[in-house]
């Protein structure tokens, strides 16, 4: 089922009143884990959603330990802002020390929640050499998905997320400029997972893209394609009889789609958890010929 979107200007907030950037909250992974547990009940992907919930709980535990990595030097942050560059872009930032140990700890934390085949899939993370883990991280960060160990990727990605969320939380929003490429995260330059329409306060009714790596969010108006800025022919797709709180927004110009999660339908909705739980909508969009413009690191599928 499809629904045509509103036209530009019909749902935008007054100029100057929009919070452009939302940095990740302290309880990010805890809230995500709780939402995944809600979604798992009676879901056909229930076992996998519960596994990811367990992984998110482990991510929160390691985020709460107070990791040692610190931000780049103030002069570099200022230069990035001046030239509208993401200050935490992986290409210009050494991977935080300890991320490989975090990956191994996360794999160990979730191992017992998996069947035997799943436990075997995590052995490369637990036993792999540092060079292998670094290579896998590089494939994930670069979007080289054909070279990635897809079974190990959720844990490797989860470890990277912990460290980049930790870094992003040390920033002040004034240190980050609007991105030169609005389809990419202004904090780290990564692709979004999905977009989310927030409720409450100054953000009420506003759409934000949610970063796959650092979980920062940046504002994009709802009446245009989040991938190419086209404003014509944007269409919503949803599963008939399914959850109308998650829709796929398609663009006829670039032939891509990205999901939009509506918190007014469910205040607990999470842009990562609800995206993962609506895999059937991705299958529908694949049949229509549209290509996904974002990526969910908990389940590697689609293209970026």
């Amino acid at each position: 089922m499809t629904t045509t979107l509103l036209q530009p200007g019909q749902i935008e907030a007054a100029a100057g009143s929009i919070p452009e950037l939302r940095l990740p909250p302290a309880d990010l992974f805890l809230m995500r884990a709780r939402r995944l547990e809600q979604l798992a009940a009676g879901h056909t992907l229930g076992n996998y959603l519960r596994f990811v919930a367990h992984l998110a709980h482990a991510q929160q535990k390691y985020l709460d330990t107070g990791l040692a990595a610190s931000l780049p030097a103030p002069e570099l942050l200022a230069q990035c802002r001046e030239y509208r560059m993401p200050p935490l872009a992986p290409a210009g930032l050494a991977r935080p020390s300890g991320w490989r140990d975090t990956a191994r700890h996360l794999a160990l934390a979730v191992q017992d929640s998996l069947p035997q085949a799943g436990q075997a899939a995590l052995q490369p993370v637990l036993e792999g050499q540092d060079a292998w883990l670094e290579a896998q991280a590089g494939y994930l960060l670069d979007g080289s998905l054909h070279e990635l160990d897809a079974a190990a990727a959720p844990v490797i990605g989860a470890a990277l997320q912990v460290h980049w969320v930790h870094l992003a939380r040390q920033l002040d929003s004034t240190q980050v400029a609007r991105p030169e490429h609005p389809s990419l995260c202004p904090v780290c330059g990564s692709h979004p997972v999905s977009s989310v329409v927030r409720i409450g306060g100054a953000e009420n009714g506003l759409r934000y893209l949610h970063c796959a790596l650092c979980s920062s969010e940046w504002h994009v108006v709802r009446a245009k394609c989040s991938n190419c800025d086209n404003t014509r022919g944007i269409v919503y797709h949803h599963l008939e009889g399914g959850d109308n709180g998650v829709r796929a927004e398609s663009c006829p110009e670039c032939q891509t789609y990205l999901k939009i999660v509506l918190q007014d339908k469910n205040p607990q909705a999470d842009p990562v958890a609800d995206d993962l739980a609506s895999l059937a909508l991705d299958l529908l969009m694949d049949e229509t010929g549209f290509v996904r413009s974002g990526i969910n690191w908990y389940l590697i599928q689609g293209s970026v």
Side-chain angles (χ1 to χ4, degrees):
M1 182 176 291
T2 62
T3 307
T4 303
L5 275 172
L6 296 175
Q7 294 304 307
Q10 289 181 277
I11 50 177
E12 294 179 36
S17 65
I18 296 174
E20 294 286 347
L21 180 66
R22 301 180 78 253
L23 295 170
D27 60 353
L28 170 79
F29 296 116
L30 175 61
M31 299 306 294
R32 181 161 300 157
R34 289 174 175 172
R35 178 58 176 162
L36 285 161
E37 288 164 349
Q38 288 179 346
L39 291 166
H43 198 288
T44 55
L45 295 175
N47 288 339
Y48 192 76
L49 296 176
R50 280 185 283 271
F51 158 71
V52 179
H54 196 171
L55 180 56
H57 275 299
Q59 286 179 285
Q60 186 68 54
K61 175 183 176 181
Y62 285 98
L63 182 64
D64 290 343
T65 62
L67 303 169
S70 57
L71 292 172
E75 55 269 22
L76 181 57
L77 291 176
Q79 186 179 44
C80 287
R81 193 184 192 289
E82 179 181 359
Y83 292 101
R84 299 173 64 190
M85 298 168 58
L88 302 183
L93 187 72
R95 282 175 206 147
S97 62
W99 87 264
R100 296 185 300 271
D101 288 338
T102 301
R104 294 182 178 110
H105 286 309
L106 291 178
L108 192 61
V110 300
Q111 189 173 230
D112 291 343
S113 67
L114 291 170
Q116 187 172 359
Q119 293 181 24
L122 292 185
Q123 286 308 302
V125 178
L126 292 167
E127 301 172 359
Q129 298 296 317
D130 286 354
W132 182 84
L133 285 169
E134 289 290 345
Q136 290 296 311
Y139 298 147
L140 186 56
L141 292 168
D142 294 341
S144 302
L145 305 186
H146 61 286
E147 300 182 84
L148 191 65
D149 184 330
V155 170
I156 293 171
L160 294 170
Q161 286 173 339
V162 168
H163 286 266
W164 255 269
V165 167
H166 168 70
L167 289 170
R169 283 190 41 75
Q170 297 178 57
L171 286 168
D172 186 278
S173 59
T174 60
Q175 295 174 295
V176 183
R178 277 295 287 179
E180 183 177 358
H181 303 288
S183 63
L184 300 178
C185 176
V187 174
C188 71
S190 299
H191 287 272
V193 176
S194 65
S195 67
V196 55
V197 176
R198 294 285 178 185
I199 57 173
E203 301 163 357
N204 191 59
L206 299 179
R207 177 174 73 156
Y208 291 86
L209 296 180
H210 187 96
C211 179
L213 175 57
C214 74
S215 289
S216 297
E217 294 184 352
W218 63 107
H219 174 253
V220 176
V221 297
R222 292 168 62 182
K224 69 177 182 178
C225 174
S226 60
N227 186 57
C228 75
D229 288 344
N230 168 54
T231 61
R232 297 184 179 181
I234 304 298
V235 174
Y236 280 142
H237 307 254
H238 62 90
L239 296 172
E240 192 158 6
D243 181 8
N244 199 26
V246 180
R247 305 174 188 177
E249 182 183 81
S250 68
C251 173
E253 291 295 319
C254 63
Q255 288 293 300
T256 68
Y257 77 94
L258 192 71
K259 289 186 200 159
I260 181 167
V261 176
L262 306 173
Q263 284 197 329
D264 62 339
K265 302 293 185 183
N266 190 317
Q268 284 77 46
D270 175 83
V272 176
D274 285 71
D275 171 69
L276 190 64
S278 55
L279 181 60
L281 187 53
D282 291 290
L283 300 178
L284 170 68
M285 297 307 295
D286 185 60
E287 292 175 358
T288 66
F290 288 98
V291 177
R292 182 180 169 115
S293 63
I295 186 169
N296 192 321
W297 283 7
Y298 287 132
L299 182 64
I300 300 298
Q301 49 90 30
S303 302
V304 294

